[in-house]
Amino acid sequence: MPTPIESLQEAAIAALKSQYNIEVSPAELPFQDTRREFEGDFTLVVFPLTKYKLGSPEQIGQKLGEGMQIQMPDIERFNVVKGFLNLRLSDAWWLAYLGSAQQDPTLFRNTAGEGHTVVVEYCSPNTNKPLHLGHLRNIVLGYSLSQILESNGYKVIQACLFNDRGTNISKSMHAWLKAGTGDTPESTGTKGDKLVGEYYVRFGKDQKQEIAALVAEGKTEEQAEQLAPSSLAIQDLTIRWENGDADVRSLWKTMNGWVYAAMEQTFRRLGAHFDRYYFESDIYLSGKETVQEGLEKGIFYQKEDGSVWVDLSPDGLDHKLLLRRDGTSVYITQDLALADEKYRDYQMGRSIHVVGNEQEYHFKVLFLIMQKLGKPFASGLFHLSYGMVELPTGKMKTREGTVVDADDLMDLMISSAREETLKLGKTEGMSETELEELYARLGIGALKYYLVKVDPKKRILFDPQESIDLHGHTAPFIQSSYTRTASILRKAEAEGLTPQVSPGLKPEDELLESERSLLRMLMHFRDVLADAAQTYNPSLVANYAYELAKEYNRFYHEAPVIRSAHPATSAFRLGLSTLCGKALRESLRLLGITVPERM
RNA sequence: GCCGCCGUAGUUCAAUGGAUAGAAUAGGAGUUUCCUAAACUUUAGAUGCAGGUUCGAUUCCUGCCGGGGGCACCA
């Protein structure tokens, strides 16, 4: 079935053929929505057609409009303003559209991705400290993108890589051993990731003191850093870990276990879930095999000291180290292996890494190397690079204690939702469990929306004051718009009204502008969905949901649904409300946000 | 130094090269015997600077100014 835009383009092509005898492609006929201040539903910008020397834009618009009306009688009337041809479709056409949309099981789905597999890797935390605000943005983006791809027909694997080894985790282990208290999450009543994080911070403080003392003795900053007892201790721990020292491995397993359990809790609260976990400790060694492969293919080269490099200067980049002279791997080495691993597991056509923009260079290098190695998946690699989350006071820094903790922030948002809900007092009759669920929906929803409504490429300035606001451009605004549709449907059902609109049923009144506008927006759902997938941009869905909610509220205030004078109008508005509700719920679902039926 | 990113109302965000640059928030004025006022209506307020391409530039190109980021045998 052709989309309305396609029908219009077809009509325009036929009209141009018969009026001017010229052949144009649909691409030359960019229809867009008519702006509110003009009359019409769809607008064609005529200017590009002036290249055919057919006359002034106004003349072309006029003649084209006339020709299109002949081709498509549903064009009720049209007007030409400067070079813009505004077309208005008949009420009957829009009613028929609503009728068909109600029957359409794929109203909110696309099929472009069918038969293709995509791996989306996101979150990917270190196991030495808890999740923070930056991770939240990452998770919301990754989760949402996964849903969006799935709704476009792709088979999606959500993956999370735990950076679970190396100097960072050694730091926490060392501080824990040094404290000698044998603290556990159970003994201290502290969430596992928080406990490990505390030791990580403690390590930093101790090391800093040691360095200061050494500097006071006359050492340089650099020497002091190397000579500090803490520094030596973590080197030792890391080496013992790599050699499989039973004690170190056992402690490592225990502490990481605390962290996994704790993060799982946080994921659950966020509604995030992964199909597959990867662990750096499992794969870091096999990166060396890929390095070997590159050497054999002559793509990498080895220096006299034994270190391995790749020369990317022909591609405008630098020489990049892949293996240290002592044969140990660097950061990028494990990623070489992980890419192969994912392909072995899923044979994906596309592999997306949701990682902050500070690592753009890293991924540029990684993808280029994959290309040079001739990996079958190389062309499908993509770095979804997003901007950092900053505080009004600047960047978040663990060492300076300015990090906004993920769990704390969720708690704050939920209590803010509770406060606001109680203030409004509209939840009479809800059980304690239902209320808690509602507060979580609203609070977590507001948080997620705050993070996903901004274009991923842009940095986010996190203002705590603004973020807990539940009015305006927020999830609760959209959620409350949904509850309006739900409330109307409940009442309608109680009164025996049905939202089913038979296409032939014509309301007595003319369609309102807000009704046309809503129908047009429903029609665009799939366009937005496709666009969001193609550009890896969930914020498009977020903004769509907001615009739709706003338009629905406008309609709600000016048009009575149940109390409408005419039954036919009531039925139509009920059908429209039902679909708007579904569209709101579905677009929020794509963002990882759920809706309540009452609030 | 080199490489990339970003500069839009007081503030936070929008705008496939298209009409008079949209919202939210903060400020001014209103709306509730009416399906949930977390709402609606209304008012005021912005494209860093200078050029260029174009019928048309917030968008593309060049230079300048301003702000992050990256360029480790760190991860």
Side-chain angles (χ1 to χ4, degrees):
Chain A
M1 202 178 76
T3 67
I5 299 288
E6 283 164 359
S7 307
L8 289 169
Q9 285 172 331
E10 224 170 274
I13 288 168
L16 286 166
K17 175 87 175 134
S18 69
Q19 303 265 25
Y20 293 109
N21 197 30
I22 56 167
E23 307 268 356
V24 299
S25 67
E28 290 175 88
L29 301 165
F31 280 92
Q32 49 195 250
D33 291 357
T34 303
R35 296 181 57 145
R36 197 176 291 285
E37 58 265 40
F38 301 96
E39 192 205 42
D41 297 311
F42 300 101
T43 295
L44 180 70
V45 183
V46 184
F47 291 104
L49 296 174
T50 55
K51 69 177 176 194
Y52 293 105
K53 311 276 183 220
L54 310 173
S56 72
E58 288 85 350
Q59 289 168 336
I60 301 172
Q62 187 63 31
K63 232 175 151 182
L64 181 56
E66 287 163 11
M68 285 181 72
Q69 262 189 318
I70 295 168
Q71 298 294 329
M72 197 175 163
D74 280 311
I75 298 171
E76 186 178 72
R77 49 183 189 266
F78 69 92
N79 63 82
V80 180
V81 181
K82 294 192 211 164
F84 298 88
L85 170 61
N86 302 315
L87 301 156
R88 181 183 160 96
L89 298 171
S90 67
D91 282 4
W93 189 90
W94 280 115
L95 281 174
Y97 171 73
L98 179 63
S100 73
Q102 283 180 313
Q103 310 296 321
D104 186 353
T106 64
L107 191 59
F108 306 128
R109 287 191 67 80
N110 289 315
T111 54
E114 279 173 7
H116 298 94
T117 301
V118 185
V119 175
V120 181
E121 180 195 312
Y122 63 98
C123 185
S124 304
N126 296 338
T127 56
N128 63 315
K129 54 188 177 213
L131 301 173
H132 57 70
L133 180 49
H135 291 109
L136 288 180
R137 184 178 197 189
N138 184 307
I139 292 170
V140 171
L141 269 177
Y143 180 88
S144 176
L145 181 66
S146 300
Q147 309 313 311
I148 288 167
L149 289 170
E150 226 159 59
S151 278
N152 278 283
Y154 292 92
K155 176 169 191 249
V156 178
I157 311 296
Q158 299 181 71
C160 172
L161 168 70
F162 283 109
N163 295 295
D164 62 343
R165 60 162 284 276
T167 50
N168 280 333
I169 187 71
S170 293
K171 287 178 184 176
S172 294
M173 288 196 287
H174 173 67
W176 185 88
L177 285 168
K178 192 176 162 196
T181 50
D183 282 352
T184 66
E186 291 75 26
S187 75
T188 57
T190 309
K191 197 160 165 276
D193 52 349
K194 303 284 192 294
L195 185 68
V196 172
E198 277 170 25
Y199 282 109
Y200 178 75
V201 170
R202 195 179 297 184
F203 173 90
K205 282 182 187 156
D206 288 353
Q207 189 189 37
K208 204 171 161 188
Q209 274 179 12
E210 292 167 9
I211 290 172
L214 287 168
V215 169
E217 286 171 23
K219 299 278 194 298
T220 67
E221 192 78 32
E222 205 174 319
Q223 288 171 326
E225 200 170 327
Q226 283 176 2
L227 291 171
S230 296
S231 308
L232 298 173
I234 57 161
Q235 271 170 37
D236 178 55
L237 267 181
T238 307
I239 291 168
R240 281 167 64 195
W241 181 90
E242 290 197 15
N243 291 336
D245 180 297
D247 291 341
V248 176
R249 285 284 178 150
S250 163
L251 176 60
W252 170 77
K253 239 180 152 163
T254 304
M255 290 181 79
N256 272 345
W258 298 341
V259 173
Y260 296 139
M263 286 188 179
E264 200 58 51
Q265 265 182 48
T266 306
F267 292 159
R268 210 172 310 130
R269 271 180 102 190
L270 276 170
H273 104 97
F274 296 96
D275 303 301
R276 178 73 149 96
Y277 291 124
Y278 288 97
F279 299 89
E280 187 190 348
S281 54
D282 286 340
I283 55 168
Y284 81 106
L285 286 174
S286 46
K288 296 180 187 179
E289 293 165 21
T290 312
V291 171
Q292 196 54 43
E293 179 189 336
L295 279 172
E296 281 161 17
K297 289 185 177 168
I299 293 158
F300 305 158
Y301 68 94
Q302 193 155 25
K303 283 191 181 173
E304 316 77 56
D305 64 5
S307 58
V308 179
W309 297 73
V310 60
D311 178 12
L312 300 175
S313 54
D315 305 279
L317 303 178
D318 257 325
H319 289 251
K320 178 82 187 170
L321 176 83
L322 300 175
L323 215 54
R324 294 194 188 96
R325 66 168 166 261
D326 61 5
T328 58
S329 43
V330 289
Y331 181 58
I332 199 166
T333 322
Q334 64 154 328
D335 276 338
L336 300 174
L338 181 57
D340 276 329
E341 183 88 9
K342 282 179 184 166
Y343 190 69
R344 258 198 301 279
D345 292 342
Y346 302 109
Q347 298 83 46
M348 69 285 174
R350 278 200 265 176
S351 179
I352 298 165
H353 295 73
V354 184
V355 180
N357 62 11
E358 57 194 354
Q359 295 201 34
E360 269 170 19
Y361 183 79
H362 170 78
F363 282 104
K364 219 179 259 178
V365 169
L366 179 67
F367 295 169
L368 201 52
I369 291 174
M370 289 301 159
Q371 237 172 58
K372 286 181 181 293
L373 289 173
K375 298 290 182 186
F377 51 83
S379 62
L381 294 166
F382 182 79
H383 174 204
L384 174 51
S385 165
Y386 63 90
M388 298 286 100
V389 184
E390 287 171 28
L391 304 173
T393 50
K395 243 187 127 175
M396 291 192 289
K397 296 222 168 85
T398 311
R399 276 177 244 156
E400 290 166 26
T402 54
V403 172
V404 177
D405 180 80
D407 293 308
D408 293 351
L409 186 56
M410 285 190 273
D411 290 340
L412 178 70
M413 295 300 294
I414 291 171
S415 67
S416 171
R418 175 183 293 115
E419 206 175 300
E420 182 70 16
T421 305
L422 292 175
K423 201 168 82 191
L424 295 174
K426 293 190 285 194
T427 51
E428 204 183 319
M430 287 174 76
S431 73
E432 204 49 45
T433 326
E434 285 172 326
L435 283 171
E436 287 305 318
E437 193 185 76
L438 174 63
Y439 303 148
R441 274 198 165 121
L442 297 174
I444 304 289
L447 176 58
K448 287 180 173 177
Y449 192 85
Y450 183 87
L451 294 171
V452 81
K453 72 177 176 184
V454 181
D455 186 326
K457 290 197 293 287
K458 298 198 175 175
R459 75 189 177 105
I460 286 185
L461 194 77
F462 183 83
D463 183 342
Q465 287 300 319
E466 191 201 329
S467 70
I468 58 165
D469 191 359
L470 309 178
H471 302 261
H473 191 181
T474 64
F477 171 85
I478 304 168
Q479 288 165 318
S480 96
S481 306
Y482 170 79
T483 61
R484 287 184 152 167
T485 69
S487 171
I488 285 178
L489 291 177
R490 277 195 304 271
K491 287 226 157 69
E493 204 173 331
E495 295 183 21
L497 293 170
T498 152
Q500 285 301 323
V501 170
S502 50
L505 191 61
K506 192 177 187 316
E508 303 301 314
D509 311 311
E510 251 191 24
L511 286 185
L512 300 165
E513 280 313 308
S514 58
E515 290 169 331
R516 286 173 169 265
S517 190
L518 284 172
L519 287 164
R520 201 169 53 183
M521 293 183 91
L522 288 171
M523 218 179 66
H524 283 316
F525 190 102
R526 277 191 288 229
D527 302 335
V528 174
L529 186 59
D531 205 11
Q534 269 159 23
T535 58
Y536 304 99
N537 186 354
S539 79
L540 298 178
V541 175
N543 285 307
Y544 170 84
Y546 173 66
E547 293 298 332
L548 182 62
K550 225 152 67 91
E551 194 62 36
Y552 187 77
N553 282 329
R554 196 172 286 147
F555 160 77
Y556 180 88
H557 275 272
E558 71 174 327
V561 175
I562 294 168
R563 299 198 179 130
S564 164
H566 307 285
T569 305
S570 237
F572 163 76
R573 288 182 179 163
L574 211 46
L576 182 60
S577 293
T578 307
L579 276 192
C580 285
K582 283 184 181 169
L584 289 172
R585 187 176 59 200
E586 180 63 14
S587 46
L588 285 180
R589 185 191 69 77
L590 291 170
L591 306 174
I593 300 169
T594 57
V595 291
E597 296 301 309
R598 288 178 56 197
M599 63 186 274

PDB file of all heavy atoms in Angstrom, chain A residues 146-168:
ATOM      1  N   SER A 146      18.479  -0.313  20.736  1.00  0.00           N
ATOM      2  CA  SER A 146      18.179  -1.726  20.521  1.00  0.00           C
ATOM      3  C   SER A 146      16.696  -1.933  20.231  1.00  0.00           C
ATOM      4  O   SER A 146      16.324  -2.681  19.328  1.00  0.00           O
ATOM      5  CB  SER A 146      18.583  -2.549  21.748  1.00  0.00           C
ATOM      6  OG  SER A 146      19.969  -2.414  21.996  1.00  0.00           O
ATOM      7  N   GLN A 147      15.831  -1.272  21.021  1.00  0.00           N
ATOM      8  CA  GLN A 147      14.385  -1.405  20.788  1.00  0.00           C
ATOM      9  C   GLN A 147      14.013  -0.855  19.422  1.00  0.00           C
ATOM     10  O   GLN A 147      13.179  -1.418  18.712  1.00  0.00           O
ATOM     11  CB  GLN A 147      13.583  -0.663  21.868  1.00  0.00           C
ATOM     12  CG  GLN A 147      13.960  -0.980  23.292  1.00  0.00           C
ATOM     13  CD  GLN A 147      14.089  -2.457  23.560  1.00  0.00           C
ATOM     14  OE1 GLN A 147      13.209  -3.243  23.215  1.00  0.00           O
ATOM     15  NE2 GLN A 147      15.210  -2.867  24.133  1.00  0.00           N
ATOM     16  N   ILE A 148      14.613   0.274  19.080  1.00  0.00           N
ATOM     17  CA  ILE A 148      14.292   0.922  17.805  1.00  0.00           C
ATOM     18  C   ILE A 148      14.699   0.031  16.634  1.00  0.00           C
ATOM     19  O   ILE A 148      13.943  -0.145  15.676  1.00  0.00           O
ATOM     20  CB  ILE A 148      14.994   2.301  17.720  1.00  0.00           C
ATOM     21  CG1 ILE A 148      14.314   3.291  18.674  1.00  0.00           C
ATOM     22  CG2 ILE A 148      14.970   2.840  16.294  1.00  0.00           C
ATOM     23  CD1 ILE A 148      15.076   4.570  18.912  1.00  0.00           C
ATOM     24  N   LEU A 149      15.865  -0.562  16.736  1.00  0.00           N
ATOM     25  CA  LEU A 149      16.312  -1.454  15.661  1.00  0.00           C
ATOM     26  C   LEU A 149      15.386  -2.665  15.561  1.00  0.00           C
ATOM     27  O   LEU A 149      15.026  -3.103  14.462  1.00  0.00           O
ATOM     28  CB  LEU A 149      17.758  -1.898  15.915  1.00  0.00           C
ATOM     29  CG  LEU A 149      18.810  -0.807  15.723  1.00  0.00           C
ATOM     30  CD1 LEU A 149      20.174  -1.267  16.230  1.00  0.00           C
ATOM     31  CD2 LEU A 149      18.919  -0.390  14.259  1.00  0.00           C
ATOM     32  N   GLU A 150      14.993  -3.170  16.717  1.00  0.00           N
ATOM     33  CA  GLU A 150      14.110  -4.332  16.720  1.00  0.00           C
ATOM     34  C   GLU A 150      12.784  -4.003  16.049  1.00  0.00           C
ATOM     35  O   GLU A 150      12.252  -4.798  15.282  1.00  0.00           O
ATOM     36  CB  GLU A 150      13.865  -4.776  18.167  1.00  0.00           C
ATOM     37  CG  GLU A 150      13.992  -6.267  18.359  1.00  0.00           C
ATOM     38  CD  GLU A 150      14.262  -6.591  19.814  1.00  0.00           C
ATOM     39  OE1 GLU A 150      13.434  -6.219  20.678  1.00  0.00           O
ATOM     40  OE2 GLU A 150      15.308  -7.188  20.091  1.00  0.00           O
ATOM     41  N   SER A 151      12.270  -2.810  16.320  1.00  0.00           N
ATOM     42  CA  SER A 151      11.006  -2.400  15.707  1.00  0.00           C
ATOM     43  C   SER A 151      11.156  -2.139  14.212  1.00  0.00           C
ATOM     44  O   SER A 151      10.166  -1.982  13.506  1.00  0.00           O
ATOM     45  CB  SER A 151      10.451  -1.150  16.392  1.00  0.00           C
ATOM     46  OG  SER A 151       9.771  -1.504  17.564  1.00  0.00           O
ATOM     47  N   ASN A 152      12.378  -2.060  13.753  1.00  0.00           N
ATOM     48  CA  ASN A 152      12.618  -1.932  12.318  1.00  0.00           C
ATOM     49  C   ASN A 152      12.921  -3.293  11.694  1.00  0.00           C
ATOM     50  O   ASN A 152      13.347  -3.362  10.547  1.00  0.00           O
ATOM     51  CB  ASN A 152      13.765  -0.961  12.039  1.00  0.00           C
ATOM     52  CG  ASN A 152      13.302   0.493  12.073  1.00  0.00           C
ATOM     53  OD1 ASN A 152      12.685   0.969  11.133  1.00  0.00           O
ATOM     54  ND2 ASN A 152      13.578   1.186  13.159  1.00  0.00           N
ATOM     55  N   GLY A 153      12.720  -4.329  12.479  1.00  0.00           N
ATOM     56  CA  GLY A 153      12.831  -5.672  11.927  1.00  0.00           C
ATOM     57  C   GLY A 153      14.139  -6.390  12.201  1.00  0.00           C
ATOM     58  O   GLY A 153      14.272  -7.565  11.895  1.00  0.00           O
ATOM     59  N   TYR A 154      15.130  -5.696  12.766  1.00  0.00           N
ATOM     60  CA  TYR A 154      16.428  -6.328  13.006  1.00  0.00           C
ATOM     61  C   TYR A 154      16.350  -7.329  14.156  1.00  0.00           C
ATOM     62  O   TYR A 154      15.571  -7.152  15.088  1.00  0.00           O
ATOM     63  CB  TYR A 154      17.492  -5.290  13.363  1.00  0.00           C
ATOM     64  CG  TYR A 154      17.857  -4.386  12.226  1.00  0.00           C
ATOM     65  CD1 TYR A 154      17.201  -3.171  12.043  1.00  0.00           C
ATOM     66  CD2 TYR A 154      18.850  -4.744  11.325  1.00  0.00           C
ATOM     67  CE1 TYR A 154      17.523  -2.331  10.988  1.00  0.00           C
ATOM     68  CE2 TYR A 154      19.184  -3.908  10.269  1.00  0.00           C
ATOM     69  CZ  TYR A 154      18.517  -2.705  10.112  1.00  0.00           C
ATOM     70  OH  TYR A 154      18.832  -1.892   9.057  1.00  0.00           O
ATOM     71  N   LYS A 155      17.182  -8.338  14.064  1.00  0.00           N
ATOM     72  CA  LYS A 155      17.408  -9.186  15.228  1.00  0.00           C
ATOM     73  C   LYS A 155      18.538  -8.530  16.013  1.00  0.00           C
ATOM     74  O   LYS A 155      19.635  -8.325  15.478  1.00  0.00           O
ATOM     75  CB  LYS A 155      17.811 -10.595  14.785  1.00  0.00           C
ATOM     76  CG  LYS A 155      18.157 -11.492  15.944  1.00  0.00           C
ATOM     77  CD  LYS A 155      18.283 -12.951  15.531  1.00  0.00           C
ATOM     78  CE  LYS A 155      18.352 -13.812  16.772  1.00  0.00           C
ATOM     79  NZ  LYS A 155      19.655 -14.426  16.970  1.00  0.00           N
ATOM     80  N   VAL A 156      18.280  -8.195  17.254  1.00  0.00           N
ATOM     81  CA  VAL A 156      19.242  -7.417  18.029  1.00  0.00           C
ATOM     82  C   VAL A 156      19.803  -8.233  19.186  1.00  0.00           C
ATOM     83  O   VAL A 156      19.057  -8.884  19.919  1.00  0.00           O
ATOM     84  CB  VAL A 156      18.596  -6.130  18.586  1.00  0.00           C
ATOM     85  CG1 VAL A 156      19.587  -5.350  19.431  1.00  0.00           C
ATOM     86  CG2 VAL A 156      18.074  -5.263  17.445  1.00  0.00           C
ATOM     87  N   ILE A 157      21.119  -8.226  19.329  1.00  0.00           N
ATOM     88  CA  ILE A 157      21.771  -8.824  20.485  1.00  0.00           C
ATOM     89  C   ILE A 157      22.307  -7.687  21.340  1.00  0.00           C
ATOM     90  O   ILE A 157      23.150  -6.910  20.903  1.00  0.00           O
ATOM     91  CB  ILE A 157      22.970  -9.710  20.074  1.00  0.00           C
ATOM     92  CG1 ILE A 157      22.596 -10.679  18.953  1.00  0.00           C
ATOM     93  CG2 ILE A 157      23.540 -10.431  21.297  1.00  0.00           C
ATOM     94  CD1 ILE A 157      21.566 -11.696  19.320  1.00  0.00           C
ATOM     95  N   GLN A 158      21.821  -7.597  22.563  1.00  0.00           N
ATOM     96  CA  GLN A 158      22.331  -6.565  23.464  1.00  0.00           C
ATOM     97  C   GLN A 158      23.467  -7.163  24.276  1.00  0.00           C
ATOM     98  O   GLN A 158      23.276  -8.152  24.983  1.00  0.00           O
ATOM     99  CB  GLN A 158      21.218  -6.073  24.378  1.00  0.00           C
ATOM    100  CG  GLN A 158      20.059  -5.445  23.611  1.00  0.00           C
ATOM    101  CD  GLN A 158      18.961  -4.948  24.534  1.00  0.00           C
ATOM    102  OE1 GLN A 158      19.121  -3.957  25.238  1.00  0.00           O
ATOM    103  NE2 GLN A 158      17.844  -5.646  24.539  1.00  0.00           N
ATOM    104  N   ALA A 159      24.629  -6.538  24.165  1.00  0.00           N
ATOM    105  CA  ALA A 159      25.814  -7.087  24.818  1.00  0.00           C
ATOM    106  C   ALA A 159      26.457  -6.063  25.741  1.00  0.00           C
ATOM    107  O   ALA A 159      26.369  -4.857  25.518  1.00  0.00           O
ATOM    108  CB  ALA A 159      26.822  -7.539  23.765  1.00  0.00           C
ATOM    109  N   CYS A 160      27.076  -6.585  26.775  1.00  0.00           N
ATOM    110  CA  CYS A 160      27.758  -5.722  27.739  1.00  0.00           C
ATOM    111  C   CYS A 160      29.127  -6.325  28.018  1.00  0.00           C
ATOM    112  O   CYS A 160      29.241  -7.525  28.281  1.00  0.00           O
ATOM    113  CB  CYS A 160      26.942  -5.647  29.031  1.00  0.00           C
ATOM    114  SG  CYS A 160      27.765  -4.798  30.380  1.00  0.00           S
ATOM    115  N   LEU A 161      30.148  -5.503  27.921  1.00  0.00           N
ATOM    116  CA  LEU A 161      31.511  -5.974  28.191  1.00  0.00           C
ATOM    117  C   LEU A 161      31.935  -5.494  29.577  1.00  0.00           C
ATOM    118  O   LEU A 161      31.912  -4.296  29.856  1.00  0.00           O
ATOM    119  CB  LEU A 161      32.483  -5.418  27.139  1.00  0.00           C
ATOM    120  CG  LEU A 161      33.973  -5.586  27.445  1.00  0.00           C
ATOM    121  CD1 LEU A 161      34.381  -7.054  27.335  1.00  0.00           C
ATOM    122  CD2 LEU A 161      34.816  -4.720  26.524  1.00  0.00           C
ATOM    123  N   PHE A 162      32.319  -6.422  30.425  1.00  0.00           N
ATOM    124  CA  PHE A 162      32.847  -6.027  31.728  1.00  0.00           C
ATOM    125  C   PHE A 162      34.367  -5.895  31.652  1.00  0.00           C
ATOM    126  O   PHE A 162      35.062  -6.851  31.315  1.00  0.00           O
ATOM    127  CB  PHE A 162      32.475  -7.054  32.797  1.00  0.00           C
ATOM    128  CG  PHE A 162      31.056  -6.958  33.249  1.00  0.00           C
ATOM    129  CD1 PHE A 162      30.138  -7.932  32.904  1.00  0.00           C
ATOM    130  CD2 PHE A 162      30.641  -5.880  34.026  1.00  0.00           C
ATOM    131  CE1 PHE A 162      28.820  -7.835  33.328  1.00  0.00           C
ATOM    132  CE2 PHE A 162      29.318  -5.779  34.446  1.00  0.00           C
ATOM    133  CZ  PHE A 162      28.410  -6.753  34.096  1.00  0.00           C
ATOM    134  N   ASN A 163      34.849  -4.721  31.958  1.00  0.00           N
ATOM    135  CA  ASN A 163      36.285  -4.518  32.067  1.00  0.00           C
ATOM    136  C   ASN A 163      36.674  -4.922  33.484  1.00  0.00           C
ATOM    137  O   ASN A 163      36.680  -4.117  34.399  1.00  0.00           O
ATOM    138  CB  ASN A 163      36.637  -3.057  31.786  1.00  0.00           C
ATOM    139  CG  ASN A 163      36.312  -2.695  30.347  1.00  0.00           C
ATOM    140  OD1 ASN A 163      36.911  -3.224  29.423  1.00  0.00           O
ATOM    141  ND2 ASN A 163      35.333  -1.833  30.160  1.00  0.00           N
ATOM    142  N   ASP A 164      36.993  -6.196  33.612  1.00  0.00           N
ATOM    143  CA  ASP A 164      37.037  -6.790  34.944  1.00  0.00           C
ATOM    144  C   ASP A 164      38.444  -7.122  35.436  1.00  0.00           C
ATOM    145  O   ASP A 164      38.602  -7.811  36.423  1.00  0.00           O
ATOM    146  CB  ASP A 164      36.191  -8.081  34.939  1.00  0.00           C
ATOM    147  CG  ASP A 164      36.751  -9.117  33.967  1.00  0.00           C
ATOM    148  OD1 ASP A 164      37.553  -8.738  33.085  1.00  0.00           O
ATOM    149  OD2 ASP A 164      36.387 -10.299  34.093  1.00  0.00           O
ATOM    150  N   ARG A 165      39.454  -6.680  34.695  1.00  0.00           N
ATOM    151  CA  ARG A 165      40.810  -7.021  35.128  1.00  0.00           C
ATOM    152  C   ARG A 165      41.712  -5.786  34.972  1.00  0.00           C
ATOM    153  O   ARG A 165      41.265  -4.742  34.526  1.00  0.00           O
ATOM    154  CB  ARG A 165      41.365  -8.150  34.260  1.00  0.00           C
ATOM    155  CG  ARG A 165      41.433  -7.794  32.779  1.00  0.00           C
ATOM    156  CD  ARG A 165      42.342  -8.707  32.012  1.00  0.00           C
ATOM    157  NE  ARG A 165      43.723  -8.399  32.257  1.00  0.00           N
ATOM    158  CZ  ARG A 165      44.422  -7.453  31.622  1.00  0.00           C
ATOM    159  NH1 ARG A 165      43.850  -6.711  30.699  1.00  0.00           N
ATOM    160  NH2 ARG A 165      45.680  -7.230  31.897  1.00  0.00           N
ATOM    161  N   GLY A 166      42.955  -5.960  35.372  1.00  0.00           N
ATOM    162  CA  GLY A 166      43.913  -4.887  35.165  1.00  0.00           C
ATOM    163  C   GLY A 166      44.154  -4.050  36.410  1.00  0.00           C
ATOM    164  O   GLY A 166      43.699  -4.382  37.501  1.00  0.00           O
ATOM    165  N   THR A 167      44.851  -2.965  36.209  1.00  0.00           N
ATOM    166  CA  THR A 167      45.326  -2.183  37.354  1.00  0.00           C
ATOM    167  C   THR A 167      44.194  -1.623  38.203  1.00  0.00           C
ATOM    168  O   THR A 167      44.328  -1.515  39.421  1.00  0.00           O
ATOM    169  CB  THR A 167      46.222  -1.025  36.891  1.00  0.00           C
ATOM    170  OG1 THR A 167      45.544  -0.322  35.855  1.00  0.00           O
ATOM    171  CG2 THR A 167      47.539  -1.531  36.353  1.00  0.00           C
ATOM    172  N   ASN A 168      43.077  -1.264  37.562  1.00  0.00           N
ATOM    173  CA  ASN A 168      42.000  -0.653  38.346  1.00  0.00           C
ATOM    174  C   ASN A 168      41.449  -1.579  39.409  1.00  0.00           C
ATOM    175  O   ASN A 168      41.280  -1.177  40.560  1.00  0.00           O
ATOM    176  CB  ASN A 168      40.872  -0.196  37.422  1.00  0.00           C
ATOM    177  CG  ASN A 168      41.210   1.128  36.764  1.00  0.00           C
ATOM    178  OD1 ASN A 168      41.971   1.928  37.322  1.00  0.00           O
ATOM    179  ND2 ASN A 168      40.680   1.348  35.589  1.00  0.00           N
TER     180      ASN A 168
END
